[in-house]
Amino acid sequence: MTISSIVVKVASRCNLNCSYCYMYNQGDNSHKNQPKCISNEICDHLITRINNHCLKHNLKRFEITFHGGEPLLLDPTFYSNFTEKCKINISQKTIVGFSVQTNGTLVTKEWCELFEKLNIRPGFSLDGTKEAHDMFRVDHKGKGSYDDAVRGLNIYQAHNHNSGGVLSVLNIHSDPVEIYNHFKKNNVQRFNILIPDINYVTKESNNFDENADPEKYGDWLIRLFDCWIEDEQKNKPVIGNFDSIINLIIGRSEYGSEIIGTLKNDVLVIETDGGIEATDPLKTCGNNFTKEELNVSRNEFDEALNANLINLYYNSHKFMSKKCRTCLISDICGGGYLPHRYSHDNGFNNPSIYCNGLMKLITHIQNKVFDLLPQDVITEANMEKLPFHQLQEFVKQNINSVEYEDSKVDFLLETFSKKESLHI
């Protein structure tokens, strides 16, 4: 087991207070015990761990994403110093790439110049139209952040002559066609739509919108897909979700991600105190849920990969529930995103809370791709359309026919049931 990238939480505080945020507003309070910013000492340990891992596994490339909280709360000199230390202390046999994920509200011309100088690729968080964005992405006084976020994005576009990548959390109350046209109007060349980080636990909480049936998220994405696939204009943006699904449908497994597909999730999260953890949306599963008592000051990455939760996350597209193991599109869905599978009773031995929505979306896209293929290809490959309800019935009838040869997988999936109670 190896990793090829890390997400570094350089700041554990944020200038926004988004209501759906898994870091601050979904029941995990561990950020209160974290340093506000990562220290130089932790950075030195981290860079040593990166170099050790890359040398041991002969890695040709390694990716570092600066994250938060809001990473631009740090002084710009932090990034100059960090990247310089990487250049000095990481073997030249490994190319190190840098990116930063920002809410955009603090972006200035000076930040853009720094990104360019240090070759840091920024990604922006923007939930579409002003109405959709400001519904949830507010500051600590409850004021919407859309105007500041778009201003930051526009500054970057003007300076770098490209749009930067955009991550957008799906707002079920918005119109997907309006969202799509909004991104085109703002010259966004590529964006990804993130489904809100809920699971079987948070669905029962007061934070969950009772009117937002998880299956409806699939319907929303289908409307967006149809708008996108039928767009023949030159400035048509790439929607990463759909691009990945289409490529997975035609057999290109390398287009998978931590959310879909069958690839290993070869990434670790480093907290501001140096803690080594699995992906941070797992914080929605319970207070202190991601804490593994691992730290870059004393542990190598190879040690961390043996921790149960990190190991499960790493293999989450292989370790799936019985329903997912039965499903004909599991190679595309990959069982869904691990944080979306959690329940108190079964741990992660569940399909994604969004299972029906994802099933509906993937079969819809699969059938659209079918319609675009030449007839001779369809005949040669012996392909046929797979309606959503037909797939549901197949899974229902065959769910008890597929088992793991190794029962340890089911045990690992269920090990984490009610894990949050161990840390309170």
Side-chain angles (χ1 to χ4, degrees):
M1 293 170 64
T2 62
I3 63 167
S4 62
S5 62
I6 56 170
V7 174
V8 186
K9 297 288 184 171
V10 297
S12 63
R13 302 294 187 270
C14 189
N15 61 322
L16 298 185
N17 187 33
C18 305
S19 58
Y20 54 61
C21 183
Y22 56 78
M23 286 288 292
Y24 308 116
N25 291 318
Q26 292 292 340
D28 182 274
N29 295 314
S30 60
H31 66 276
K32 295 179 180 179
N33 299 319
Q34 298 280 141
K36 292 182 179 180
C37 300
I38 197 168
S39 68
N40 289 330
E41 181 182 5
I42 291 297
C43 288
D44 291 342
H45 287 304
L46 172 58
I47 292 169
T48 297
R49 301 305 177 198
I50 293 171
N51 186 53
N52 291 347
H53 193 75
C54 290
L55 286 175
K56 180 177 180 179
H57 298 284
N58 194 29
L59 300 183
K60 304 301 182 185
R61 187 171 184 88
F62 195 88
E63 296 291 332
I64 299 173
T65 299
F66 301 113
H67 210 282
E70 172 49 47
L72 300 195
L73 289 173
L74 273 69
D75 190 277
T77 57
F78 165 83
Y79 296 97
S80 298
N81 293 337
F82 188 97
T83 54
E84 183 63 23
K85 286 181 179 180
C86 287
K87 188 182 299 183
I88 295 171
N89 295 294
I90 296 178
S91 171
Q92 293 184 356
K93 295 179 181 179
T94 302
I95 298 173
V96 180
F98 298 99
S99 59
V100 61
Q101 187 64 35
T102 175
N103 59 42
T105 61
L106 302 178
V107 171
T108 61
K109 179 182 177 182
E110 289 72 27
W111 274 112
C112 294
E113 291 171 348
L114 183 73
F115 295 154
E116 185 175 33
K117 177 183 177 182
L118 303 180
N119 197 24
I120 297 175
R121 306 180 309 276
F124 292 82
S125 298
L126 184 68
D127 289 352
T129 63
K130 181 178 176 65
E131 180 182 8
H133 182 97
D134 285 349
M135 192 176 296
F136 301 110
R137 296 187 66 83
V138 298
D139 64 17
H140 291 272
K141 295 182 179 180
K143 178 184 176 183
S145 62
Y146 174 87
D147 292 337
D148 290 336
V150 170
R151 175 192 52 77
L153 176 62
N154 291 340
I155 290 172
Y156 178 75
Q157 290 172 330
H159 183 85
N160 293 75
H161 307 293
N162 66 65
S163 69
V166 168
L167 292 180
S168 181
V169 177
L170 191 161
N171 182 338
I172 197 67
H173 301 288
S174 67
D175 184 324
V177 177
E178 288 183 3
I179 300 297
Y180 181 71
N181 290 331
H182 176 273
F183 282 133
K184 285 184 64 176
K185 180 181 177 181
N186 282 275
N187 300 311
V188 173
Q189 298 167 2
R190 182 182 182 89
F191 65 93
N192 270 344
I193 299 291
L194 303 179
I195 307 175
D197 288 312
I198 63 171
N199 49 48
Y200 296 90
V201 175
T202 56
K203 187 178 184 295
E204 301 301 323
S205 74
N206 292 329
N207 290 330
F208 182 72
D209 184 348
E210 294 181 357
N211 296 317
D213 184 329
E215 187 173 323
K216 293 181 180 178
Y217 288 87
D219 296 329
W220 193 100
L221 287 165
I222 286 171
R223 289 186 60 202
L224 178 65
F225 175 81
D226 287 345
C227 175
W228 174 72
I229 201 70
E230 294 166 7
D231 185 357
E232 299 180 353
Q233 296 183 8
K234 291 182 178 180
N235 65 334
K236 177 178 180 176
V238 173
I239 302 181
N241 315 61
F242 301 151
D243 187 56
S244 294
I245 291 173
I246 290 172
N247 277 286
L248 289 167
I249 286 171
I250 62 178
R252 296 176 178 173
S253 60
E254 67 273 17
Y255 280 81
S257 68
E258 67 173 347
I259 297 175
I260 59 172
T262 58
L263 296 180
K264 305 290 188 182
N265 289 328
D266 54 351
V267 58
L268 291 172
V269 172
I270 311 300
E271 287 285 3
T272 54
D273 64 354
I276 307 174
E277 302 181 4
T279 187
D280 41 335
L282 284 166
K283 295 178 186 297
T284 59
C285 300
N287 193 39
N288 290 312
F289 195 91
T290 58
K291 301 305 176 186
E292 297 279 10
E293 298 183 359
L294 297 161
N295 197 285
V296 294
S297 64
R298 57 182 179 271
N299 301 107
E300 299 288 350
F301 292 156
D302 284 57
E303 295 176 70
L305 289 169
N306 290 321
N308 279 347
L309 186 59
I310 291 175
N311 184 291
L312 178 59
Y313 169 66
Y314 186 94
N315 292 292
S316 61
H317 293 312
K318 177 183 177 183
F319 298 165
M320 297 184 287
S321 71
K322 183 184 292 186
K323 179 179 180 181
C324 298
R325 303 194 301 259
T326 308
C327 186
L328 298 175
I329 61 169
S330 61
D331 284 350
I332 301 169
C333 174
Y337 193 27
L338 187 66
H340 300 166
R341 305 182 201 173
Y342 186 73
S343 73
H344 283 325
D345 293 333
N346 300 320
F348 294 101
N349 203 358
N350 307 288
S352 167
I353 192 75
Y354 293 107
C355 177
N356 286 337
L358 291 172
M359 191 183 291
K360 184 180 288 189
L361 172 67
I362 291 170
T363 53
H364 179 84
I365 294 177
Q366 195 169 38
N367 293 335
K368 282 281 188 177
V369 171
F370 182 98
D371 290 337
L372 296 173
L373 291 174
Q375 185 59 47
D376 58 335
V377 173
I378 296 172
T379 302
E380 183 177 348
N382 193 27
M383 298 171 62
E384 60 181 20
K385 288 188 175 182
L386 182 62
F388 165 59
H389 294 295
Q390 183 177 322
L391 177 58
Q392 279 189 312
E393 186 61 28
F394 175 88
V395 171
K396 181 179 179 180
Q397 292 180 2
N398 292 277
I399 193 167
N400 293 318
S401 65
V402 179
E403 297 289 348
Y404 274 123
E405 295 181 2
D406 187 353
S407 61
K408 291 181 180 179
V409 172
D410 281 329
F411 175 78
L412 180 61
L413 288 167
E414 295 178 4
T415 295
F416 302 95
S417 60
K418 300 184 179 178
K419 176 178 185 291
E420 81 292 342
S421 62
L422 301 177
H423 300 284
I424 292 177

